[in-house]
Each structure stands twice: as structure tokens, then as C-alpha cells.
Amino acid sequence: MRNAKQTAARRTRRSATPGPAGRASGMPRARVIRTGATRAATALATATAERVTGTLAATTAKRTLDLALGSALLALTTPALAVAALVLALRPPRGRACVLSRETRIGLGGLPFELRSLRTRRFRLDLLSRLPHVVRGELSLVGPAPLTKDEATLLGHAAGRWRHSARPGLTGLAQVRARSGMPWDEPALLDAHYAEHHGTGLDLAILAQSALIPLRTAVHGLRHPGKAHLSDTDHRLPGYSVAE
């Protein structure tokens, strides 16, 4: 009789113990909130990690292109650059200052660097003389035009943020579009568009178009001798200020 009562009591206690559904339904509200917050934080962290991974992959591909193609171009053009530097050094007034121009520009992360270029426009040697900056990582083959300190201070918060996240380039989307008749406030918009949508395919297309610019300039010069034209290295007019 006692054993039967004990068995019945155990069964009663066992039936009163909530199962998984009961535990879930009886979960305290604070614990439910913490669980939801944890899941939301996990989802946000996953999305952020995927975004960062994609950005790093794109950055690595771009830097690989800069190193490979930039080093090859520098090796091919070094003899011509050396001859041009020698000619400039022998011209009066002689001196190192007559060979290279030195300007402080703002690079990746808003860090300043000294941009050095040969003081000549012939055969785009001034542009090619900047290839060491590409190899060192101060410039990219393709990117927004490198700004001076004064131009950088005129940027608003939004424009400054994407400018600092993009490495300036030898050439860019705004430069290859400089002869398309666009308004002069549009280069900044084109640079912003490039910073958001750049990729290896777009970089190669811009480089191909940039290689055709000297040919177009020569043909234009033959058709219109003595007519002034824009610089292919810097597409901005004197006094041009960047727009946010």
C-alpha cells in the first residue's frame, strides 16, 4: 500500500514538472529580451564581418594590381624617366629643384605625403614619374585626384569620410571624362561614384581610356595648333574647389 502511494506521488510530481514547452512559455521576460538582443547582435556582427571581408578582398585585389602593373610600368619607363631627368638637370637654371616638383597632398586615411613629379608634360612623363608612389602605396593607379591640404579642409564630413577611405590615383574616372563636356562641379561627383563602385574591371577600363588620352591630345593638337587644352594629369581648372 505504501509503495503504491509513493509511486502515485512520484507520478504526480513528474506530471507537474514543466516540459520544454512549459519552460519556454514560463521563461522570464528579461531572459526573452536578452535572447532577442543576442540574436540581433549576432546577425549584425555577421553582416559586418561579411562587409569587411568583401572590402578587404576588393582592397587586396586593387593593391595587387597596383603592385604588379605599377612595378612593370616603372621598370619599362625608368630609362625614359632617367633621360628626361638628366635633360632637365642640364637646362638652365640648373639644380635639383628644376627636375622635380614637390607638393604636399593628402592620401589614404587623411595622411599627408610629398608628391614628386618630373617638371615636363612631354609623353606624359610627369604622370609616369609618379609610379614610385604607386609601388610604395601612397598612390593607386586609379583613384580620385590627390588633394592639397587647402582643398582637403574644404571637404564636408561626408565627402571627407569617403576621400580618406580611398587611395588617390594617377588617373581616375573624372580624368577620363574631362573631355566629355561635363559641368565643372561634376568631377567631385564622379570621384565619389568611383569610391563607392570601384572594382578591377572598372580600373582596367579607366587605365585603357587613360592610355588613349595622349593619342587624342596629339591628334587634337594637329587639328587645332596653338589651341590651349586641359592638363591630362590634373583635370581641375585653376581655383577649382571640391564639392561635398
Side-chain angles (χ1 to χ4, degrees):
M1 187 68 177
R2 183 179 299 177
N3 292 336
K5 291 182 178 180
Q6 291 177 350
T7 302
R10 283 197 297 268
R11 288 178 179 175
T12 302
R13 288 196 299 269
R14 192 175 300 166
S15 62
T17 303
R23 286 195 298 268
S25 61
M27 182 181 295
R29 181 176 179 84
R31 185 178 299 177
V32 173
I33 295 175
R34 287 198 299 269
T35 302
T38 302
R39 291 176 179 174
T42 302
L44 179 61
T46 301
T48 303
E50 292 177 352
R51 193 181 307 116
V52 170
T53 301
T55 302
L56 289 176
T59 302
T60 301
K62 184 174 181 64
R63 184 62 187 141
T64 300
L65 178 64
D66 288 342
L67 279 175
L69 188 55
S71 299
L73 289 174
L74 182 59
L76 291 174
T77 58
T78 293
L81 294 175
V83 171
L86 180 61
V87 171
L88 290 173
L90 294 178
R91 279 184 178 180
R94 300 178 182 180
R96 186 178 180 183
C98 298
V99 177
L100 293 175
S101 64
R102 302 168 184 267
E103 300 173 297
T104 299
R105 298 297 175 97
I106 304 301
L108 185 65
L111 299 177
F113 69 98
E114 186 180 63
L115 180 65
R116 302 179 183 182
S117 308
L118 282 178
R119 295 181 181 274
T120 176
R121 298 286 184 186
R122 292 182 177 272
F123 311 112
R124 311 310 306 124
L125 292 178
D126 57 335
L127 189 65
L128 294 174
S129 67
R130 299 179 180 182
L131 284 170
H133 292 289
V134 175
V135 177
R136 289 197 297 264
E138 296 165 334
L139 290 177
S140 178
L141 289 173
V142 181
L147 300 180
T148 64
K149 287 184 176 180
D150 293 337
E151 291 170 335
T153 57
L154 297 177
L155 294 175
H157 175 71
R161 182 173 55 190
W162 71 256
R163 270 282 182 175
H164 294 166
S165 66
R167 184 179 280 109
L170 293 185
T171 185
L173 184 60
Q175 179 175 327
V176 298
R177 292 282 302 276
R179 299 177 183 278
S180 63
M182 62 186 180
W184 285 110
D185 60 344
E186 197 168 338
L189 300 180
L190 290 173
D191 284 341
H193 175 81
Y194 172 82
E196 294 178 358
H197 304 285
H198 69 273
T200 303
L202 180 59
D203 283 359
L204 292 176
I206 293 174
L207 288 172
Q209 293 184 51
S210 299
L212 296 176
I213 289 178
L215 179 60
R216 293 173 184 169
T217 303
V219 173
H220 185 271
L222 291 176
R223 291 179 179 176
H224 307 280
K227 187 175 181 179
H229 59 274
L230 297 176
S231 164
D232 293 322
T233 299
D234 193 343
H235 55 76
R236 297 164 295 176
L237 290 177
Y240 168 77
S241 62
V242 294
E244 182 175 353

